[in-house]
């Protein structure tokens, strides 16, 4: 008899009674308590070619891609899904939700770009023994920072232009209307000055 950790791809395909083309290319591991609502929502999103690998997970098709979703809470339950599908050949795992958050200040919509993780979840040390913390891929971190910064600058600039347009139409505006723009650290100082000079 094989133990869980010894299962191969073929063993999992047989245990789950699936064909190879049912394996998702990417899997979302969502950390949140409200599993019923989350699973119901994702059942609507992943309607095509749907199958249920376990009580807290669903696999289906989205824009012709096979995608998996699991509602997980805590390292062990996240690992149970991630391990199985990593062995099956799923290439990308995306973690969302607030589990693993270390601060009450973090709110929905906040973007965290993780540079390192402490292995204190009760699971990680079995996959990468004697290593803590684990560092994120530096190139990936830099690309993520760049992407978020560009999006944030674009959003701020778009808000600025829209507000400026409204103020111009009503002939009533001042630079005090844009405090976020003045203090946004990721805009170089000379760009902020150029924007201010528009009025």
């Amino acid at each position: 008899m094989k133990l869980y950790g010894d299962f191969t791809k073929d063993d999992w395909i047989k245990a789950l009674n699936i064909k190879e083309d049912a394996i998702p290319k990417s899997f979302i591991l969502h950390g949140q308590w409200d599993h019923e609502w989350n699973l119901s929502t994702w059942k609507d999103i992943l309607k095509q070619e749907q199958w249920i690998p376990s009580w807290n997970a669903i696999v289906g098709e989205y824009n012709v891609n096979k995608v998996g979703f699991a509602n997980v809470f805590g390292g062990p339950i996240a690992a149970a899904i991630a391990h199985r599908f990593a062995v099956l050949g799923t290439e990308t795992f995306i973690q969302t939700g607030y589990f693993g958050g270390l601060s009450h200040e973090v709110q929905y919509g906040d973007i965290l770009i993780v540079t390192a993780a402490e292995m204190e979840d009760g699971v990680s040390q079995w996959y990468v023994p004697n290593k803590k913390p684990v560092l994120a891929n530096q190139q990936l971190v830099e690309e993520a920072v760049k992407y978020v910064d560009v999006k944030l600058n674009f959003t701020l600039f778009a808000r600025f232009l829209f507000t400026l347009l409204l103020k111009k139409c009503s002939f009533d505006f001042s630079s005090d209307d844009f405090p976020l723009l003045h203090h946004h650290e990721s805009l170089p100082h000379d760009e902020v000055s150029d924007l201010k000079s528009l009025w």
Side-chain angles (χ1 to χ4, degrees):
M1 184 177 99
K2 281 188 176 179
L3 295 174
Y4 178 87
D6 299 324
F7 268 38
T8 64
K9 179 177 181 173
D10 289 337
D11 293 326
W12 279 117
I13 286 175
K14 188 176 175 185
L16 293 167
N17 194 25
I18 59 169
K19 293 183 178 169
E20 190 163 352
D21 65 0
I23 298 166
K25 286 195 180 297
S26 52
F27 217 106
I28 298 164
L29 302 170
H30 184 68
Q32 188 180 16
W33 285 117
D34 197 358
H35 67 274
E36 243 178 271
W37 183 85
N38 287 319
L39 288 169
S40 169
T41 301
W42 280 89
K43 278 180 184 175
D44 284 343
I45 294 169
L46 304 175
K47 281 181 186 167
Q48 304 296 319
E49 305 290 324
Q50 200 173 94
W51 64 280
I52 311 290
S54 60
W55 69 270
N56 66 327
I58 182 166
V59 174
E61 207 168 273
Y62 183 75
N63 286 347
V64 304
N65 292 308
K66 285 277 190 307
V67 178
F69 173 86
N71 201 99
V72 297
F73 23 91
I77 199 165
I81 297 285
H83 177 94
R84 182 186 315 156
F85 282 94
V87 172
L88 279 166
T90 298
E91 296 167 3
T92 305
F93 291 89
I94 303 159
Q95 184 179 348
T96 60
Y98 55 76
F99 277 33
L102 301 175
S103 166
H104 292 292
E105 318 297 308
V106 178
Q107 301 294 318
Y108 276 111
D110 287 351
I111 298 169
L112 304 179
I113 298 171
V114 180
T115 56
E118 289 287 338
M119 294 169 61
E120 295 180 0
D121 55 11
V123 176
S124 304
Q125 70 272 16
W126 297 105
Y127 291 92
V128 189
N130 306 317
K131 189 168 183 184
K132 124 176 168 177
V134 176
L135 301 178
N137 178 298
Q138 189 60 33
Q139 185 182 354
L140 208 54
V141 168
E142 287 168 12
E143 288 300 317
V145 169
K146 236 187 281 182
Y147 179 82
V148 170
D149 211 30
V150 165
K151 286 282 188 188
L152 186 57
N153 281 335
F154 177 78
T155 303
L156 285 171
F157 188 62
R159 274 192 202 150
F160 161 75
L161 290 178
F162 182 69
T163 310
L164 185 62
L165 177 65
L166 289 176
K167 293 291 183 174
K168 279 278 191 194
C169 290
S170 66
F171 303 102
D172 176 29
F173 66 95
S174 81
S175 62
D176 295 331
D177 290 316
F178 314 107
L180 280 176
L181 186 63
H182 296 185
H183 302 295
H184 183 55
E185 292 173 8
S186 60
L187 275 176
H189 181 71
D190 56 338
E191 284 183 37
V192 174
S193 300
D194 290 346
L195 291 174
K196 285 183 187 176
S197 70
L198 287 175
W199 66 79

